[in-house]
Amino acid sequence: MDRPEIILAPGPTPIPPEVLLAQGSPLVYHRGPGFGKLMRDVTTRLKELYRTDRAEILLMTSSGTGGLESAIQNVLSPGDEVLVPLAGFFSDRWRALAESHGLVVRTVEYEWGRKVVPSEVAAALQEHPDVKAVLLTQSETSTGVIQPVRELARVAREAGALVVCDVVSSLGAVPFAFDEWDVDVAVGGSQKALSASPGIAFVAVSERAWTAHGTATMPRYYFDWSIYRRYAALPDPENPWTPAISVMQGLHAALELYFQDGVDAAYPRHRTLSRAVKEGAQALGLDLFGEGLEDNWTVTAIRAPEGIDANAITDRIRSDFGCVLAPGQGPLKGKVFRIGHFGYFSELDIIRGLSALEMTLERLGYPVKRGAAVAAAEGVFQEVQETS
Ligand SMILES: Cc1ncc(COP(=O)(O)O)c(C=O)c1O
């Protein structure tokens, strides 16, 4: 019998029924009061999530990468210098995006899985005083590492560079504070911690970034922020182009649901689920990957046991149990698999994922003590319950 796949990946995350219903409802025409209200509500909620009073939020029909591309196109000019601390697949996407737009890319390179060191970024900025923008990735989804954006933003600001941050897999998942951390551009996506469908990118833009936009000559059209700003300022806010209306209806419902409890519930939930996955994997004798594990609440990268290809694990758990884990990317392909634990996940979602993992490993010949991962996760949930 066909059943929906069980998604335990770091995005798209499982979509709540309320969101599916909202996006399956009749379309709200995109020019007029109905869509205007959707945009106003979504923007207000996102400002709360970004922790900003000052930024403008632009909503674009695109996956997260389009929002990142828009940042490059709107605050920079061909030939400008940027600095990218490289520590995984998504920071490398910044590099590729910047290079493809004719920017001069300076890098500070780290082995995948490492945390970027702010003092080393500061030193690189001293060495390259013409850097206009530092391109950061808060949650490096390929390794699970949460990068120290607050400190990195500080060193970038001290060097007079714009702070442009990918928060695609971290906004709403872990703490972020646009105003307090003095960030200039932060790009999020609908399909991650908010558990809406993919298709909408949101971009928070500071006053400083708007000033840079005023003189930036990078070619742009679809993603031109000035056009988005003009349409967003209409009495009934609009998108310039025909937007992904259904996704917007779903995102509206997803934010309403998220804010029923708010970040005060979401962050500790992600922390608890993360701990349960990590302690569950360790109870099976598996090694975890990446620095700063206690802060890495979005996704856990787990090393495949000696002699087993990590892709065999993700393939088998999917074919046998319909459970989708994420494979390793880049140099981690075949070496790690990743379990996402942000967004619309409950304790029992994690338990059933760990149970499927135990059975999968056993089928692949790994010596599993049945129930060990599940018991460890239950232990975490009970401990958190007793201490809260
Ligand atoms: C940190 C990060 N940045 C960017 C992206 C790319 O987003 P999209 O696939 O929505 O373009 C992802 C997607 O996984 C991500 O995790």
Side-chain angles (χ1 to χ4, degrees), residues 79-312:
D80 278 350
E81 266 182 67
V82 294
L83 182 87
V84 184
L86 279 180
F89 187 83
F90 290 101
S91 43
D92 193 58
R93 181 164 296 180
W94 268 136
R95 181 198 55 70
L97 262 172
E99 283 178 356
S100 71
H101 283 77
L103 298 170
V104 175
V105 182
R106 310 293 182 194
T107 58
V108 186
E109 298 189 20
Y110 295 88
E111 212 179 302
W112 285 32
R114 302 306 298 263
K115 264 192 201 265
V116 173
V117 180
S119 62
E120 293 174 2
V121 171
L125 286 167
Q126 271 202 333
E127 202 183 315
H128 302 291
D130 293 332
V131 163
K132 284 248 176 80
V134 178
L135 310 180
L136 302 173
T137 304
Q138 187 181 22
S139 163
E140 181 44 86
T141 321
S142 61
T143 64
V145 173
I146 300 297
Q147 300 294 0
V149 166
R150 177 190 211 135
E151 294 74 19
L152 292 167
R154 186 171 43 72
V155 300
R157 292 297 319 132
E158 280 168 8
L162 290 171
V163 179
V164 179
C165 192
D166 172 343
V167 293
V168 171
S169 69
S170 54
L171 188 70
V174 298
F176 179 78
F178 189 95
D179 288 356
E180 195 191 325
W181 298 358
D182 212 8
V183 173
D184 292 299
V185 182
V187 179
S190 48
Q191 79 276 25
K192 301 286 188 176
L194 301 178
S195 288
S197 282
I200 294 182
F202 8 99
V203 185
V205 183
S206 76
E207 201 45 55
R208 242 183 341 251
W210 280 115
T211 304
H213 173 69
T215 55
T217 61
M218 194 70 80
R220 53 184 177 254
Y221 183 73
Y222 184 85
F223 289 128
D224 190 331
W225 288 354
S226 293
I227 309 179
Y228 281 85
R229 186 181 220 184
R230 204 165 64 238
Y231 276 80
L234 292 171
D236 292 319
E238 294 180 17
N239 269 176
W241 333 116
T242 310
I245 300 171
S246 307
V247 182
M248 184 70 89
Q249 293 173 198
L251 176 60
H252 184 268
L255 281 161
E256 289 308 306
L257 201 59
Y258 182 98
F259 276 99
Q260 276 179 2
D261 301 319
V263 294
D264 292 341
Y267 295 164
R269 183 176 71 249
H270 297 149
R271 185 178 56 212
T272 302
L273 299 183
S274 164
R275 257 192 73 196
V277 167
K278 288 173 173 65
E279 294 189 23
Q282 285 172 316
L284 293 174
L286 302 177
D287 292 328
L288 305 179
F289 180 85
E291 233 181 311
L293 289 169
E294 62 289 349
D295 300 328
N296 300 344
W297 305 343
T298 57
V299 53
T300 297
I302 301 168
R303 286 184 196 275
E306 195 69 32
I308 299 182
D309 189 291
N311 288 348

